[in-house]
Amino acid sequence: MSDSSGFFNEMLEQDGSPRAPYSRIANWLKDKPNSFLSKKSRDAETIFRRLGITFAVYGAEAATERLIPFDPIPRIISASEWRRLSAGIDQRVRALNAFLHDIYHRQEIIRAGRIPADLILQNEAFLPEMAGFTPARKVYSHIIGTDLVRVSENEFYVLEDNTRTPSGVSYMMENRETMMRLFPELFQTHNVAPVERYPENLRQTLESVAPDPAKSEQTIVVLTPGIYNSAYFEHAFLADSMGVELVEGRDLFVDAGKVFMRTTRAPKQVDVIYRRIDDAFLDPLTFNPDSMLGVPGLFDAYRAGNVTICNAPGTGIADDKAIYAYVPDIIEFYTGQKPILNNVPTWNCSREDDLAYVLDNLAEIVVKEVHGSGGYGMLIGPTASKREIAEFRKILENNPSNYIAQPTLALSACPTHVASGIAPRHVDLRPFVLIGDQVRITPGGLTRVALKKGSLVVNSSQGGGTKDTWVLED
Amino acid sequence: MLGRTAASLFWMSRYQERAQNITRLMEVAYRGAIMAYDGQAEGHHWQFALACSGAETGYHEKHDELHSRHVTNYMVFSKDNPISIRNCLELTRNNARAVRTGITAELWEAINTTWIEFCDTSPQSVTQEKLPDFLAWLAQRSHLFRGALLNTVLRDDGYYFSQMGTFVERADNTARILDNQYWVLLPDNEIIEDGSSERYQWSAILRALSGRRSYRFAYPNAQLKAFNIAEFLILRREMPRSLAYCYDWLADTAEDLGHFYGSREPSLDLAADVFKDLKEKQMRDIYQEGLHDFLIDFIGKNNQFAHQLCEDYNFA
């Protein structure tokens, strides 16, 4: 199991002895035959399939719903590692919210010359309709999933700030449930921080940003595009675990500037909408007129302060890949502090020098589409064929400002159950943050794992799997 | 509760009930086809299943002959047949998925596992010898659905709407089977010799409505008589698929729903009226009125009730 590949191994030191947070697990794994983990994996799959914990893959015919492979070996984070990570995340999400407020108001950061005006004002994710409007408690992005990767004992990088509609929190919770069913004995010997308070915390967060937080009963809904959406399971899961209605656009309507849902009885006024549909589809009167997913008049009701939309429209500008390179500046500008968590060095292909470097080094780096997600529209230089690189070069030259590039990172590897036994596979981590009357970070997150040997692609739509993430308490 | 949620619960139950009804019709047809002692061609029995379920026209657009294999594929597995068991199960599951938040884990698992296992079954593997086992499995899965619904779902509006779906569909199904065969149930057919084709058809009707055994208990001399069979399936409230039983449930459920919301809607009165009518009627009145006319009228009222329900509670 020892790894001489030069990647940081989450479980083992260079000499093959276990790192402190993994000492018990390593010991427990030692005398388990491969058949034991194989059986547990099959048990887990049965649980997931019966519960319908699935996601849809766009464009994949027939198999419209798939399971995300689940790996039964947990990824473990020590209490001290977590303290540092959560301090860094806390700092980052506060700064991003301050940034959002600023660019939709006085735009001090542009005036100060810290970010080029064009990068924001010409950006598709910037919504001029939001200018001058202040959401409750000045919070724009209430639910954030921060993607982290680790390259060494003490080096974590933020890969992406998902400030629009981060998904995966239901997997974090179901993975934990499944682990507790499969290996109850491990929870007796490890002091694992619970993740089960997430739905309660989400509800508190949403209530705290209601138009009138003093009202005794807030009507909260989760707005989904419907059962064919790739994350539908999660939308239903969240509504269910918060005890609120899961609605589609057609269930809502606006009357006299207020939002109501159609019930079997009288219409019921809605205070907070946790929306899982994109900005462009929210309101056909303000945005995409062809959209059937949204609610006509919703945006006016929002601007009149009669309903809160979470996350706020226009938050996409904060996780835009072109803005990403400026996040360290954003943190310094709004908090006056050095960032606790590092960015991955990033080349912005809209800059001539950066583009030249990227074109010269395509075989060594990762190029990503600015608005892409889910591992689509990207090039991973080191594993791409010559032909793929040549084709990508043309695309990039045609529209350079649509791309950023980053060095390929030596992502840490975590022991993972594979056909031949246990082997290290690359992982990333998405902790989930809630921002309302306070910042709440759930101790844990979604660990995604690249199941193919050597692969750095962890996206579920590209065949990656997930693991339970344990944050140990002291 | 969202109007759309109410609609999904109603249709979830309706499609599951429909899948169960088609399953039973296929069992009856299969049985008839392999016995074929009544002098009827094998195809005649498959025709019965197609006709009672309303799939006859659709089938004949695709196939010229009544062949067991084709009927099985069309009625069980076909995506083109809107009421195939496959499509009913998929619609059951889609409606259940849309209300994941409104149903219990037990009910969802019953529905989801049925669908997964159904999809794992290749139509080629269900040969004619294996058809009875497969149909029996489907019937068991319907019972599991109903058991999970009755045993785990909270007795609130959602439960009432799903009950409505079950019994509207069941009443419709019973009335259609009776109407499809109404001439064999006319009282002139009173004296029938053993082995005649009518006798076989009576027994097929009873089987199609799971009533063969209960009929023997309900009518002490246990003789198959058209009058008794019609009465059993229309007016006897102890028979779980009779029209009277269905409206007993619908009227009761309507009453409960009215209490739950603290208001009475027109649909609730409609259900009460239909039930009252069935309670007061005698079989002789129905024959006087004309069995076929009575059944057509009933099917219309049943539809009218479903439409009114949809309107009263904002089904989207």
Side-chain angles (χ1 to χ4, degrees), chain A residues 248-261:
Chain A
E248 296 179 19
R250 58 191 160 126
D251 298 319
L252 301 180
F253 67 94
V254 174
D255 186 36
K258 291 175 179 155
V259 181
F260 295 88
M261 59 180 167

Side-chain angles (χ1 to χ4, degrees), chain B residues 7 11 24-25 31 59 63 88 110 139 160 165 209 215 227 237 270 272 278 280 305:
Chain B
W11 283 104
R24 208 168 326 90
L25 284 173
R31 205 186 150 79
Y59 177 84
H63 303 283
C88 289
Y160 301 136
L209 296 167
Y215 177 85
F227 185 94
R237 273 148 67 191
L270 275 180
L278 288 169
E280 289 169 356
F305 166 68

Side-chain angles (χ1 to χ4, degrees), chain A residues 169-178 195-196 198-199 237:
Chain A
V169 75
S170 56
Y171 293 98
M172 167 179 84
M173 303 204 44
E174 290 293 352
N175 285 353
R176 176 62 54 82
E177 279 296 311
T178 305
V195 293
E196 73 208 15
Y198 183 86
F237 175 93

